[in-house]
Amino acid sequence: MRPEPGGKTAALPRSLLHLQFLIDNGASPDVVLVRDEKMQSPVARAFPGKTCWLGRETVPGRSLSSLIAARRLNRAYYQGVEREIASLGIRHLILFLEGEPLERLLVRLPGIDTVELWEDGLSHYVDLTSDLWYAARGAVQAIAGFYPHRILHRRMDRGTVLVRDRFERANLVLKAPAAPADHRNEALIIGSPLVEDRILSADQHRDGVQTIAANSPVPVRYLPHPREDRARLGTALSAVANLTIEEDRAGLMDHAARHGYLAYLAPVSTGLLDLGRAERCFFVPRLFGLKHMAAVLSGWRANPIGVLESVEALRTELERLCSPHLR
């Protein structure tokens, strides 16, 4: 599907990864929609004079009056979005998320002619959480007055849009960080907010990190995800031998452009796909007890990243990478 002549193109990047996809693929949208405050400055720098603030839905509190108010505000919010899109003359969309209420509203607006769905990272390719979990989330959103169309479904009908991604359709690119001047003879664990998202308990997470550190022939460094609770990490991981918590808060891509590592490990992280260092990257969900995620990642045929299923496999790969000719 290609945009027909006439009308403006709008993009809705919800993360820095989405914004980098737009930049690296030479996108030139007429309007860049902004939903979250954290994206306002990055979008304005990348696409000056093209931003349009949409804001976001209202999440209710615990009282009935708060729920009633949120439902009223959300109805007004979606009506305002529809008026804004129509007034801007937008007819073509570039989206990254397919299961969110705002995106579901946008693709159904009567003035929209064509939609492109660009990769969102790892979740674009595989379903790492159960359909039941996603349906329960949608049910809660529906009660709060979020846009209801297909709210219990994880994905849109991809047959109705142009899908662009790196590893299956190969019609999208992402530039890897520059080769770093500094090399650390360590293994880097890339953090994920698995505890904050209630996928793992704090104890399960600590045990997984401890398993890696105890079986690594080189020191291990932990780079927290921005949404991870650093106070929790400091308390939980302080007694883990052979481990350092990285204090850099600039983000994985910036950190990787300054520091190189012997190996990069993560229970689950889009970051492993983005580094451009696949020969040194490994998913290790099973070491954290995430058997379903391990099976899904192992079964993804286009996966460029190795999936390690045991501590023996971890030791083997790290010892192989310790060989002088691979450094």
Side-chain angles (χ1 to χ4, degrees):
M1 179 187 298
R2 297 293 179 187
E4 299 295 329
K8 294 180 179 178
T9 297
L12 176 52
R14 291 219 195 190
S15 70
L16 295 180
L17 173 63
H18 301 165
L19 186 59
Q20 199 62 48
F21 271 130
L22 292 172
I23 295 168
D24 289 354
N25 289 274
S28 184
D30 302 287
V31 180
V32 183
L33 306 172
V34 180
R35 178 180 182 271
D36 299 300
E37 291 185 4
K38 67 179 181 179
M39 292 297 295
Q40 286 194 84
S41 294
V43 169
R45 287 193 297 269
F47 296 97
K50 292 187 174 184
T51 61
C52 174
W53 171 252
L54 292 184
R56 59 188 304 163
E57 298 92 345
T58 298
V59 177
R62 298 189 176 185
S63 68
L64 178 59
S65 61
S66 173
L67 175 62
I68 294 171
R71 289 177 63 87
R72 183 179 66 253
L73 289 170
N74 286 333
R75 183 167 58 250
Y77 168 73
Y78 292 125
Q79 291 170 348
V81 168
E82 184 168 358
R83 288 193 299 270
E84 185 72 20
I85 297 300
S87 71
L88 291 169
I90 294 169
R91 294 178 56 186
H92 318 299
L93 291 173
I94 299 173
L95 303 178
F96 295 86
L97 301 185
E98 55 186 315
E100 295 299 319
L102 177 58
E103 280 79 354
R104 289 196 299 264
L105 168 76
L106 291 174
V107 300
R108 286 172 56 83
L109 293 180
I112 299 302
D113 294 332
T114 57
V115 177
E116 294 189 16
L117 177 67
W118 287 24
E119 176 190 335
D120 176 44
L122 188 58
S123 62
H124 172 87
Y125 302 100
V126 292
D127 296 336
L128 294 171
T129 53
S130 72
D131 290 341
L132 181 61
W133 181 92
Y134 203 90
R137 173 179 177 267
V140 172
Q141 290 178 326
I143 293 170
F146 284 46
Y147 185 69
H149 179 72
R150 291 182 61 83
I151 201 165
L152 302 182
H153 295 266
R154 182 193 302 265
R155 302 195 184 277
M156 66 170 60
D157 180 359
R158 292 189 177 184
T160 64
V161 299
L162 170 65
V163 180
R164 299 185 63 183
D165 60 46
R166 288 175 286 174
F167 303 113
E168 292 182 351
R169 293 160 183 85
N171 53 2
L172 206 61
V173 298
L174 184 72
K175 295 179 181 177
D182 173 53
H183 177 79
R184 291 173 170 173
N185 192 39
E186 302 173 354
L188 181 71
I189 300 177
I190 300 169
S192 301
L194 296 170
V195 175
E196 287 69 21
D197 290 343
R198 300 183 181 182
I199 294 172
L200 284 180
S201 71
D203 287 348
Q204 288 174 316
H205 180 263
R206 179 205 60 217
D207 291 348
V209 172
Q210 192 164 32
T211 295
I212 293 172
N215 288 278
S216 173
V218 295
V220 176
R221 190 174 295 260
Y222 190 97
L223 179 66
H225 187 279
R227 288 204 294 114
E228 284 189 283
D229 184 336
R230 283 185 176 254
R232 172 186 64 79
L233 290 173
T235 301
L237 303 183
S238 61
V240 176
N242 200 34
L243 181 78
T244 300
I245 298 178
E246 174 59 54
E247 294 300 322
D248 188 355
R249 294 173 183 260
L252 172 61
M253 300 301 276
D254 183 83
H255 184 78
R258 289 182 283 109
H259 305 286
Y261 290 86
L262 182 80
Y264 303 83
L265 310 168
V268 57
S269 174
T270 288
L272 292 183
L273 301 178
D274 303 339
L275 289 171
R277 304 170 191 176
E279 71 284 354
R280 295 182 177 274
C281 292
F282 303 96
F283 289 118
V284 290
R286 193 171 289 275
L287 301 187
F288 289 79
L290 296 169
K291 297 179 181 179
H292 172 73
M293 288 187 179
V296 169
L297 290 168
S298 295
W300 175 28
R301 297 176 65 179
N303 189 357
I305 306 300
V307 182
L308 304 184
E309 299 282 355
S310 64
V311 292
E312 291 78 17
L314 173 71
R315 286 195 212 103
T316 297
E317 289 297 338
L318 294 183
E319 288 170 0
R320 178 182 65 82
L321 290 170
C322 284
S323 301
H325 72 280
L326 291 177
R327 295 185 183 181

